[in-house]
Amino acid sequence: MTPRNLALSMSAILAAVWGTQGLADASDARAIFSAMSKYLAQQSVLSFDYDSSLDIVTTERQKLAIASSGSVSLERPNKLYATRTGGFASIEAGYDGKTLTLFNSDANVLAHVELPGTVETLIDALRDTHRRPMPAADLLLADVEGTLGPLFHDVKDLGSGVIRNRECDHLAFRTEWADLQVWIAQGDSPYPCRYTVTSIQTDGAPEYTVDVYNWNVGSEAIAVAQITAPEGAVMVAPSEVPDLDELSGNYAVEGN
């Protein structure tokens, strides 16, 4: 299929979606989203692996995807261990309710941030104070529905989708700052199998997608690990830990 034919096909698909009636049942979508939120809140211990893709737009207006993989272990209310491995760096982040530890194993540098509180405190501080937001961290909050639900001004139930052979409910939401999509596993464990955030306030509509797999809760979850830096690791300021996010290596941010 040529690029032109692909573009025409995509346009036809989009027209079909928006022209179909009966898919935009907001009440059903909110009920499914609420069930996911309640399920997540009930899990005091959980772990999962993920693959992520950050779609960016270059100054030449070319859209590129930056791929990473990692894992997350969470023990509510205040313990978290997360990893991310990309093409340029391997990053670990650990939190024990008092201190956030950041470690770049490729550069062998380590940083500590005194941050007493909960996982929610950590997420807010990384976003608002340190300008290091955790993508898809909304799904780690104790009350996902209470945090995100009031922001939705357009809600759609798009029916079923399949992620990694798992049938899911596909929901779409609009806020003032972004379009959100979530694919929620059907059945007794309605965890988010895929979560996509598309910026609608930035030229080119950059997009972040995370696919979740190896989902485990309770005694089957992988315990929160402690970061043990090897001998010779250099202690630096948090801002000096390189490549903490996906925009590393060949990429640099320009503009707002």
Side-chain angles (χ1 to χ4, degrees), residues 89-249:
S90 295
I91 301 294
E92 295 178 65
Y95 183 63
D96 61 4
K98 297 179 181 179
T99 304
L100 169 66
T101 301
L102 303 171
F103 179 54
N104 181 320
S105 60
D106 297 274
N108 202 23
V109 297
L110 184 77
H112 292 311
V113 181
E114 297 303 317
L115 191 64
T118 64
V119 170
E120 282 77 12
T121 304
L122 170 67
I123 292 171
D124 289 342
L126 287 175
R127 181 187 63 239
D128 301 332
T129 303
H130 300 284
R131 304 300 180 187
R132 296 284 189 177
M134 294 176 60
D138 302 328
L139 302 178
L140 300 179
L141 298 173
D143 185 6
V144 179
E145 181 185 20
T147 302
L148 295 181
L151 304 177
F152 300 154
H153 62 76
D154 183 79
V155 180
K156 292 182 175 67
D157 178 358
L158 298 177
S160 293
V162 177
I163 306 294
R164 293 180 179 267
N165 295 319
R166 185 69 184 261
E167 188 167 5
C168 304
D169 290 305
H170 181 193
L171 312 179
F173 308 93
R174 308 207 81 176
T175 71
E176 292 184 3
W177 51 272
D179 288 343
L180 310 179
Q181 296 181 78
V182 61
W183 286 256
I184 301 172
Q186 296 181 357
D188 297 332
S189 302
Y191 69 91
C193 294
R194 175 176 291 173
Y195 183 60
T196 296
V197 181
T198 305
S199 173
I200 58 176
Q201 295 184 335
T202 304
D203 187 33
E207 183 172 279
Y208 181 84
T209 297
V210 57
D211 280 2
V212 172
Y213 60 101
N214 290 338
W215 176 268
N216 288 293
V217 298
S219 61
E220 296 183 355
I222 297 175
V224 171
Q226 300 295 318
I227 295 177
T228 303
E231 185 177 353
V234 178
M235 185 71 69
V236 298
S239 60
E240 296 175 343
V241 179
D243 304 329
L244 281 179
D245 57 25
E246 287 88 346
L247 287 173
S248 57

Side-chain angles (χ1 to χ4, degrees), residues 53-122:
S53 177
L54 175 63
D55 290 352
I56 60 172
V57 181
T58 70
T59 52
E60 291 82 21
R61 303 186 66 81
Q62 181 179 10
K63 202 159 191 176
L64 304 175
I66 306 171
S68 300
S69 293
S71 62
V72 174
S73 295
L74 171 68
E75 295 180 15
R76 301 188 193 279
N78 59 4
K79 290 181 174 58
L80 176 72
Y81 175 75
T83 69
R84 181 184 63 80
T85 301
F88 299 98
S90 295
I91 301 294
E92 295 178 65
Y95 183 63
D96 61 4
K98 297 179 181 179
T99 304
L100 169 66
T101 301
L102 303 171
F103 179 54
N104 181 320
S105 60
D106 297 274
N108 202 23
V109 297
L110 184 77
H112 292 311
V113 181
E114 297 303 317
L115 191 64
T118 64
V119 170
E120 282 77 12
T121 304
L122 170 67

